[in-house]
Amino acid sequence: SRPRKFVIFRLLGRCRNHSVRMGKAGQARQVFKTFGKSSKRSSGLVKTEGKQQATPAKLKKNIVPGSILILLAGRFRGRRVVFLKQLQSGLLLVTGPYAVNGVPLRRVNQRFCIATSTKVDLGAGKFDSITDAYFAREAGKKKGGKKDESAFFATEAEKQGISDEKKAGQKSMDESIVKGLSADMKSYLKARFSLSANMYPHELKF
């Protein structure tokens, strides 16, 4: 049997080597692992009664009612539209008008549009009735039961057209704008914006 002092010396050597290999971070983990709280605990999240409403984005200084914007994203990217007002959500309400270039009433983010120095007269048009609820989708009816083979392999979904009420509202709002547009302004709104060779966006003046 080995002497007692030799055994104690070997144990101390192992502990010293272990601490060197672990480093200070490893030693701290070992300490807090022993004396810390158990990892199995309930969530400390506090439930709020209601969702906090996000503050709408501040409108850019060069965007005013009647300004012509260039859309940079979406289905109508490259189209020129007329800015009407900012909605409560912070999005911009724009129109083509539809009778001129085929762009209906839409909501766009001001990040994805370029404000130009060109402005048009909105006339006596009233746009207070248009809110974010105007663009809300109607909830689809849930169909119960199992789907048959024809319904399972169907590729085209049923498309819901625009209601007659929205069509009439679009027409009445565009009338006041179209009346004040000249022939040159109509052709300007119809033209699609695009970049050609040796054209750089940061050098253009809109």
Side-chain angles (χ1 to χ4, degrees):
S1 65
R2 295 182 178 180
R4 187 176 180 183
K5 291 183 179 181
F6 179 78
V7 174
I8 294 173
F9 178 77
R10 290 293 300 273
L11 290 173
L12 289 175
R14 289 180 182 179
C15 293
R16 192 180 294 109
N17 293 335
H18 180 63
S19 62
V20 170
R21 287 195 302 268
M22 287 174 56
K24 293 183 178 180
Q27 294 178 28
R29 280 198 297 270
Q30 290 291 329
V31 172
F32 287 110
K33 185 177 180 181
T34 306
F35 299 102
K37 294 181 180 179
S38 175
S39 59
K40 295 181 180 180
R41 58 181 182 274
S42 60
S43 175
L45 299 177
V46 179
K47 293 183 179 180
T48 55
E49 295 181 358
K51 287 186 177 180
Q52 294 181 352
Q53 294 183 353
T55 55
K58 190 176 180 181
L59 191 64
K60 295 179 181 179
K61 294 181 180 179
N62 56 349
I63 299 179
V64 295
S67 298
I68 292 182
L69 312 178
I70 301 173
L71 302 182
L72 300 178
R75 178 184 173 189
F76 299 99
R77 59 182 176 274
R79 289 290 184 185
R80 293 178 171 91
V81 294
V82 180
F83 168 67
L84 304 178
K85 69 172 185 176
Q86 187 179 24
L87 299 172
Q88 189 176 3
S89 61
L91 299 176
L92 309 184
L93 178 66
V94 299
T95 184
Y98 183 78
V100 177
N101 57 13
V103 181
L105 286 168
R106 291 180 66 84
R107 294 181 300 176
V108 297
N109 194 321
Q110 58 182 333
R111 288 184 177 183
F112 305 111
C113 60
I114 298 175
T116 66
S117 57
T118 310
K119 298 179 179 61
V120 298
D121 185 16
L122 298 181
K126 296 181 180 179
F127 313 103
D128 297 335
S129 60
I130 305 298
T131 60
D132 290 304
Y134 176 86
F135 301 95
R137 296 182 180 179
E138 297 180 359
K141 296 180 181 179
K142 294 182 179 180
K143 297 180 181 180
K146 296 182 179 180
K147 294 182 179 180
D148 54 356
E149 292 182 0
S150 60
F152 183 78
F153 291 103
T155 56
E156 296 183 358
E158 297 181 359
K159 295 183 179 180
Q160 295 181 354
I162 301 174
S163 63
D164 295 336
E165 184 180 356
K166 288 187 177 182
K167 288 181 180 179
Q170 174 82 57
K171 189 175 181 179
S172 62
M173 290 180 190
D174 287 350
E175 280 181 358
S176 59
I177 302 174
V178 175
K179 285 180 181 178
L181 297 178
S182 61
D184 293 338
M185 185 58 66
K186 288 182 180 179
S187 60
Y188 175 72
L189 290 172
K190 287 180 182 179
R192 187 186 291 270
F193 172 78
S194 61
L195 294 174
S196 59
N198 299 326
M199 288 180 64
Y200 304 101
H202 60 281
E203 294 180 353
L204 299 177
K205 291 184 179 181
F206 299 95

